Amino acid sequence: MMRIRLIFTLALLVSAISPALAADPVFPPGTRVGITPLVGLSRAKTFVGFETEDQGVKVLVAELPADAYSEVMNAFKNNPAGAGGIKPESIETAAGLAYYTIETGKDGATTVRRYSMILPGGTFSGYIAVQVPENASKIYTDDAIRQMFASAVVRKEVPVEEQLAQMPFKIGELSGFKNVRTLAVGGAIVLADGDEASGFEAAPFMVVGIVGATPTQPEDRGRFAQQAATTIPGVREARITMSEPLRIDGTPGYETRIDAVSGKDNTPVTVVQWLRFGGQSSLRIIGSAPREQWTKAFPRFRAVRDGIQPR
């Protein structure tokens, strides 16, 4: 009886000093990566993930390209001892075998423990990073973080409504696009007929997001629009065929069109970029279609553009 009582007392002590996991995995809104957060962690206010009430412990959740996982896996296999005193570890999750590292560093003058884990997601890689300040390390221990990492899961899709709700603008018209995918939670979203597995470039798609800059003078808008058009990812051999001002829903804007090639098959595409200026940022709307599909795609692009409103 004394032995049973002692074991029960020790179990209570451990539960009192170790943060327990909540019951079910939680997906930060807009993401396909979820974990069961440790007790004391709730949804973060300024980034995608979780944090303690005092914002001392932070858990960042993100999605990386699919190749990121295989690159990390190969690096760990080729150098199992690690580098710089940081030894990689592996852990089984519901998504598959994940890899993580632990290191000690500084956040300003504060000593912190940093944990980074990558896990497979099929068409993407899941990434979770944790930072624990020294004054919380007796509660959020290495074992506790490992337990949280082991709870990681991925989901194939995020509901469209959930993705759209994270954007700083409202999209009232999807124009028949089959797939909706968040590129940056709260920042950019893609609407596409293709998907990640086959590639977006072979069919019409759009990217809608916020550019954290805007020209200070109206006469600078043309130059700003053309410079922005040259930074559209994934297009090569680009040639601007048209760039002129217009008003979008009564707001000053600029339309720029480009002929280019895109994708692994060097698909000839026509691309349109609309910028809608206002405040300290600009709304950027990009539509791309294989050249032979441009005539049918352009009205769809314009319908999406005209259905976007600020929140």
Side-chain angles (χ1 to χ4, degrees):
M1 179 66 71
M2 287 294 294
R3 180 177 175 83
I4 294 174
R5 192 175 301 158
L6 178 60
I7 291 173
F8 181 70
T9 302
L10 288 173
L12 287 177
L13 281 172
V14 170
S15 65
I17 63 175
S18 299
L21 289 170
D24 299 308
V26 178
F27 293 89
T31 67
R32 289 176 286 180
V33 183
I35 58 170
T36 303
L38 296 167
V39 169
L41 293 170
S42 56
R43 181 181 171 184
K45 297 179 176 63
T46 58
F47 62 92
V48 180
F50 309 91
E51 61 186 355
T52 51
E53 187 175 359
D54 64 0
Q55 300 179 333
V57 179
K58 296 179 173 64
V59 181
L60 171 71
V61 178
E63 296 179 16
L64 300 178
D67 291 344
Y69 174 79
S70 58
E71 289 174 6
V72 171
M73 178 181 65
N74 291 334
F76 281 9
K77 287 181 177 180
N78 293 335
N79 188 12
I86 302 173
K87 186 179 184 300
E89 303 284 349
S90 61
I91 187 170
E92 285 290 346
T93 72
L97 187 65
Y99 298 91
Y100 73 96
T101 58
I102 306 174
E103 59 183 309
T104 300
K106 288 282 189 180
D107 184 5
T110 304
T111 299
V112 296
R113 196 81 159 149
R114 292 195 177 106
Y115 308 79
S116 299
M117 183 178 76
I118 194 164
L119 63 155
T123 57
F124 68 98
S125 300
Y127 178 72
I128 303 172
V130 182
Q131 179 169 292
V132 178
E134 192 173 29
N135 62 5
S137 61
K138 290 184 179 180
I139 297 177
Y140 295 92
T141 63
D142 290 354
D143 286 343
I145 301 302
R146 179 181 173 88
Q147 184 184 9
M148 183 170 65
F149 277 168
S151 74
V153 295
V154 298
R155 54 180 172 174
K156 185 177 180 181
E157 297 292 342
V158 180
V160 172
E161 296 77 11
E162 182 181 322
Q163 295 185 67
L164 297 179
Q166 308 312 307
M167 296 297 114
F169 43 79
K170 298 177 183 178
I171 300 181
E173 173 60 60
L174 296 180
S175 205
F177 283 106
K178 301 173 183 177
N179 294 300
V180 177
R181 173 70 62 231
T182 299
L183 294 180
V185 177
I189 197 164
V190 60
L191 316 176
D193 284 344
D195 55 32
E196 289 171 303
S198 61
F200 295 130
E201 298 87 353
F205 73 93
M206 299 185 73
V207 178
V208 184
I210 297 294
V211 178
T214 192
T216 56
Q217 301 297 327
E219 57 267 26
D220 294 330
R221 289 171 182 162
R223 176 179 53 82
F224 182 88
Q226 291 186 31
Q227 288 179 345
T230 64
T231 66
I232 296 175
V235 298
R236 302 181 298 279
E237 302 175 24
R239 180 175 62 88
I240 293 177
T241 60
M242 183 269 277
S243 192
E244 60 185 30
L246 80 166
R247 296 190 74 80
I248 303 173
D249 196 24
T251 303
Y254 228 92
E255 178 177 328
T256 304
R257 297 192 194 182
I258 297 169
D259 281 343
V261 295
S262 183
K264 60 183 179 181
D265 296 326
N266 292 322
T267 303
V269 295
T270 297
V271 181
V272 61
Q273 171 191 265
W274 287 295
L275 292 175
R276 191 163 77 182
F277 304 114
Q280 301 300 311
S281 60
S282 304
L283 178 67
R284 188 188 199 190
I285 306 164
I286 297 169
S288 174
R291 209 158 294 160
E292 71 275 7
Q293 300 180 43
W294 170 257
T295 302
K296 291 183 178 180
F298 183 73
R300 299 172 65 196
F301 296 160
R302 193 165 51 194
V304 172
R305 181 201 71 184
D306 294 342
I308 298 174
Q309 299 294 329
R311 289 199 180 276

